[in-house]
Amino acid sequence: MRTSPPLARLVLATVTVAAAMLPGATPLRAQVGACAPARTALVLAGGGSKGMTHIGLLQALDSLGIVPDLIVGTSMGAIIGALYASGESAAQVQAHLRQMPLDALIRNYEPIVSNSLGGLKPVLVWEQEPGHWVLQTGAVREAEVSAALSRLALRANLLARGDFDRLPIPFRAVATDLDDRSVVPLARGDLARALRASMSIPLLLRPVVIDGRALVDGGLSSNVPVGVARAMGADRVIVSTIASPKPDPAAFDDPLTVTTQLFEFLWVQDSVRPRAEDVVVAQPTAIYGMIDFRPEMMDSLVRVGRRTADAALARASCLNPIARTKARPASAAMVGRVRVTPADISGRDAAMRALQLVPRTPLDPVTVSEGLARLASHERYRGVWLHPSGDSARTDFDVTIDPAPRRTFGLGFAFDHTMSGRLWLAAVDRAILTRDLEGSALFTTGTWRTDLTVAARRQARVGERYYPVGGSLQLLTEDVRLWDGATELPHVDVDEANLIIGLRPLYEPGWTQELGVEYRAWQQRGAVTRGTAGVRYAVRYLEAGTGIPSVSIEAVGLRAWQRMAFDIAHLQRFGRIEVRPRIRAGYGHELPIHQTFTLGGLDGFAGLRLLEQRGDRELFGSLLLRWPLWRALNARVEPMVGVTGVGEFFGGPGALDGTLLVGVRVGVDLDTPLGPIRIEEGFNNQDRRQALIRVGLWF
């Protein structure tokens, strides 16, 4: 029997209503246009990593073909909103955020004085701001955050060209005026810098000064900026809110937890008074942390956001913006005028070389992005902002450079129970004599060695290229400890002066090379002073986020003696287990006693005291296995093998020539703000046993 048209319409209506009432149901596309079109704003709240749930809402909107007429966001909501406003899909936004090393940008307290100090880890660092000295926080490195945001928002920045209404969807980033705590919607200027202002969490990131106003995280004035959307003429809003947890007194002994809860307490969670046709997507994020940017956690939050958004949109009475599709503007293909502010800032030439913005040449966003990444490792800058403008034919750039503090001072220490303690003090001035000349001084002292190193370097132009040139002078006095098995012999006192001039790059991520001439003068006390000159070459590879090179090769050829060494160690992760294989080798000829190789280097060898076994040859290999036990406590097992001695390995006069040492260390380490604390026991095939108790990284 045929169903009558009225009955068919009734059945269809019943099915539609039932589908909308089902939890997690997706509304029919017919419902999207079931009411009169109205200016609709997408409002995304701030909330750190919890903001990844917004992407789930974007996925739901994409699936329905809904395009908002404008987007307003705070903090993480501003970052996600800006990418979506630039015409990217939800999938593209998620992919870009996953590629961004968000989990590496916020770390435990890790201050840094200068990359020129190599792997030295300071305990405290002071920086000279205009008129005063401040303690470096170390939790977030400004240059890394600024570069990451600039790269992430580069495409959108070039599309907007200084006016956020030019984006495919008009956009506003919400910040807070630190002076009066007023809401500041940002609509013009450098988009990445606007996002940086919107997410400037106090105590972690410095305020951003725009148009004379010091701006901080928008969550301090309006974390759910519905009011901004209404003021822009929005008749309807689709708002995604973030839930904060209630304080847990049991966790108040953890400073990071207290700080996180303080941030959430400071955010102004606006009371959303929805109208009948508004949609509120209340994301259930109270149980999640706001700074957990692990990729698997980000993906989980996106899934939570999608489920919540599907359910909320299914209950919506009206989903009908004025916009039908996103506009598809194109960025200009040519570089127009390029200006740099301040014009006389130190490091100006280096910044422009990295960005390769040359007037009247094709604009290559990939090259600009790579340049921004390189500048993140430069210590001269806190941020490099492009400020693009212009028209569809060309893009002008008013590059603004935020300089890093000119002077930095820091200190650190380490303790080893067989070598006692060591202390170091360092100072760096990034603009001595001339604006491009950096000077540094490093003083270390301990029971067995004291030295002072002063250095200077600058970027010298040779033709169209720049090279890091400089020199260093080191003065040291050392009591070289000597052993015969387990018996310590009288130590040898050595004084030395060492001058090096040539190519002297910083310890920057990637490959670096060092080449120069060297002069050394040394004396064993009571003996004749000797001097010699020659050349020095070194190559290193440093992985980003680490202070110790994973590849280090050094060759010194002097008239009186020659020395060549390499040290390779590569950290890999397999689930929760860290694996670090390491290989060391060294060869020397006529080496002074203080230049001889010690088996295992500054980590020594299992069963032996630190620096116990010396020789002019070394072969060493180890395999460290490390895995977490509880919070910052980790287990360690490191088997190792090595041989060293004087002359030939098998047949020379050294004490261990021809004898292969095999050993293992077993113990635990604890990650602390003072550096790692290691407690291990070592054994070897010579029936030797020796504990290793150490605080910090030995130097």
Side-chain angles (χ1 to χ4, degrees):
M1 182 179 68
R2 279 184 78 182
T3 305
S4 64
L7 180 58
R9 288 195 296 269
L10 177 61
V11 171
L12 178 60
T14 302
V15 171
T16 300
V17 172
M21 294 178 64
L22 288 174
T26 302
L28 300 174
R29 286 184 177 271
Q31 290 179 290
V32 173
C35 58
R39 187 169 172 80
T40 302
L42 175 63
V43 179
L44 305 177
S49 58
K50 300 178 185 182
M52 294 298 294
T53 54
H54 299 324
I55 298 178
L57 171 57
L58 304 185
Q59 291 176 347
L61 295 179
D62 284 350
S63 70
L64 297 171
I66 297 174
V67 179
D69 298 297
L70 61 99
I71 298 176
V72 181
T74 293
S75 197
M76 179 56 78
I79 295 173
I80 293 173
L83 298 180
Y84 196 62
S86 72
E88 294 187 358
S89 66
Q92 290 172 318
V93 173
Q94 182 178 4
H96 288 158
L97 287 173
R98 275 189 113 266
Q99 293 170 2
M100 183 179 176
L102 294 169
D103 55 336
L105 294 180
I106 299 178
R107 54 175 67 84
N108 292 327
Y109 180 68
E110 293 183 7
I112 183 171
V113 179
S114 172
N115 287 329
S116 63
L117 303 180
L120 290 179
K121 299 295 185 182
V123 176
L124 294 173
V125 175
W126 289 267
E127 297 176 328
Q128 187 183 33
E129 300 288 353
H132 63 285
W133 288 80
V134 298
L135 189 65
Q136 187 184 92
T137 63
V140 174
R141 293 178 185 166
E142 298 270 351
E144 293 178 358
V145 174
S146 300
L149 280 176
S150 290
R151 298 184 69 199
L152 186 67
L154 180 59
R155 175 180 171 277
N157 212 1
L158 295 175
L159 289 176
R161 297 193 303 277
D163 183 354
F164 305 166
D165 285 337
R166 286 180 176 171
L167 292 171
I169 303 175
F171 170 74
R172 297 293 183 272
V174 175
T176 300
D177 190 319
L178 189 58
D179 182 47
D180 57 15
R181 200 167 175 168
S182 61
V183 180
V184 182
L186 297 171
R188 303 185 64 82
D190 184 273
L191 178 60
R193 200 176 190 203
L195 299 179
R196 169 68 177 78
S198 183
M199 60 165 286
S200 293
I201 301 175
L203 304 180
L204 282 182
L205 292 167
R206 296 170 66 252
V208 176
V209 179
I210 297 179
D211 296 332
R213 307 174 77 177
L215 303 180
V216 294
D217 195 294
L220 296 181
S221 59
S222 181
N223 200 49
V224 190
V226 174
V228 174
R230 301 283 194 208
M232 293 177 63
D235 299 309
R236 299 173 185 144
V237 295
I238 302 172
V239 55
S240 182
T241 65
I242 299 297
S244 298
K246 294 182 179 179
D248 180 9
F252 284 174
D253 58 342
D254 181 0
L256 185 59
T257 299
V258 174
T259 302
T260 301
Q261 292 188 341
L262 175 62
F263 292 157
E264 301 205 54
F265 174 76
L266 289 176
W267 283 341
V268 177
Q269 302 291 358
D270 313 58
S271 297
V272 180
R273 297 181 176 85
R275 299 173 183 174
E277 295 180 344
D278 293 340
V279 179
V280 177
V281 183
Q283 305 288 2
T285 55
I287 63 173
Y288 297 94
M290 64 172 286
I291 56 174
D292 189 350
F293 288 102
R294 291 173 298 164
E296 60 271 20
M297 181 57 67
M298 294 167 66
D299 292 343
S300 176
L301 286 164
V302 172
R303 290 191 293 269
V304 169
R306 178 62 189 269
R307 290 195 301 268
T308 308
D310 283 343
L313 294 175
R315 295 189 296 268
S317 62
C318 181
L319 296 169
N320 194 10
I322 296 174
R324 293 300 178 211
T325 60
K326 297 179 184 179
R328 296 291 180 185
S331 58
M334 298 295 292
V335 177
R337 168 186 49 79
V338 179
R339 294 188 301 194
V340 180
T341 304
D344 60 346
I345 191 169
S346 174
R348 174 187 184 277
D349 292 343
M352 297 314 297
R353 285 197 311 276
L355 297 174
Q356 296 188 36
L357 292 174
V358 180
R360 297 180 298 280
T361 63
L363 174 58
D364 184 359
V366 174
T367 299
V368 175
S369 179
E370 292 173 349
L372 290 168
R374 287 193 295 272
L375 292 176
S377 63
H378 284 233
E379 299 178 348
R380 294 179 179 270
Y381 321 111
R382 273 191 170 134
V384 177
W385 310 105
L386 302 178
H387 292 278
S389 59
D391 52 34
S392 58
R394 69 175 196 177
T395 300
D396 299 327
F397 293 90
D398 290 282
V399 180
T400 298
I401 298 177
D402 290 339
R406 174 179 169 180
R407 296 185 178 93
T408 307
F409 174 81
L411 61 89
F413 74 94
F415 171 82
D416 183 278
H417 85 292
T418 64
M419 296 293 291
S420 190
R422 283 182 62 76
L423 172 73
W424 64 264
L425 305 171
V428 174
D429 188 328
R430 297 183 174 90
I432 61 172
L433 300 180
T434 70
R435 67 187 187 189
D436 290 326
L437 183 65
E438 175 186 299
S440 63
L442 172 64
F443 173 75
T444 74
T445 186
T447 304
W448 302 99
R449 175 183 170 122
T450 297
D451 60 72
L452 172 66
T453 303
V454 292
R457 57 169 51 85
R458 64 166 300 181
Q459 295 285 338
R461 183 170 182 173
V462 179
E464 295 299 319
R465 301 189 63 181
Y466 286 77
Y467 297 90
V469 299
S472 65
L473 173 65
Q474 182 186 58
L475 306 174
L476 75 85
T477 177
E478 181 177 3
D479 297 335
V480 181
R481 301 180 75 181
L482 301 176
W483 305 81
D484 182 7
T487 303
E488 184 168 9
L489 305 175
H491 59 261
V492 177
D493 300 326
V494 177
D495 299 318
E496 183 181 67
N498 175 26
L499 176 66
I500 303 174
I501 299 175
L503 297 177
R504 303 302 304 274
L506 292 172
Y507 276 69
E508 296 176 345
W511 290 98
T512 57
Q513 298 184 72
E514 179 180 331
L515 175 65
V517 296
E518 181 171 355
Y519 176 80
R520 289 179 182 263
W522 74 97
Q523 177 190 52
Q524 294 185 20
R525 292 175 193 167
V528 176
T529 300
R530 300 182 62 188
T532 186
V535 297
R536 172 193 184 90
Y537 175 75
V539 59
R540 289 181 290 266
Y541 180 77
L542 184 67
E543 295 182 8
T546 65
I548 301 176
S550 56
V551 177
S552 178
I553 303 173
E554 180 183 71
V556 179
L558 306 179
R559 292 186 60 187
W561 55 265
Q562 298 82 45
R563 188 179 194 272
M564 183 173 182
F566 76 84
D567 192 334
I568 301 175
H570 179 62
L571 179 65
Q572 295 177 301
R573 288 181 172 84
F574 300 93
R576 302 175 70 223
I577 300 177
E578 293 182 358
V579 180
R580 190 196 67 168
R582 185 185 184 195
I583 299 175
R584 285 172 51 92
Y587 171 85
H589 177 67
E590 299 293 335
L591 296 178
I593 188 65
H594 62 293
Q595 292 293 334
T596 52
F597 298 99
T598 57
L599 189 60
L602 296 180
D603 266 352
F605 195 91
L608 304 181
R609 293 177 175 86
L610 184 63
L611 310 184
E612 176 178 331
Q613 184 58 42
R614 289 180 176 271
D616 58 10
R617 309 284 193 278
E618 179 195 10
L619 286 175
F620 172 86
S622 68
L623 181 67
L624 173 64
L625 304 176
R626 182 174 180 262
W627 65 93
L629 294 176
W630 180 73
R631 292 192 177 181
L633 184 66
N634 305 284
R636 299 171 59 98
V637 176
E638 187 175 16
M640 57 189 70
V641 59
V643 60
T644 187
V646 178
E648 299 299 327
F649 278 120
F650 303 101
L656 288 181
D657 287 331
T659 303
L660 191 68
L661 283 178
V662 179
V664 62
R665 280 200 183 116
V666 180
V668 296
D669 67 57
L670 181 67
D671 294 324
T672 75
L674 301 179
I677 298 177
R678 293 171 57 184
I679 302 176
E680 301 174 65
E681 188 74 15
F683 312 85
N684 65 40
N685 61 340
Q686 297 295 305
D687 294 326
R688 295 284 302 277
R689 176 174 178 173
Q690 178 67 48
L692 184 147
I693 302 174
R694 179 178 293 178
V695 178
L697 298 175
W698 193 251
F699 55 93

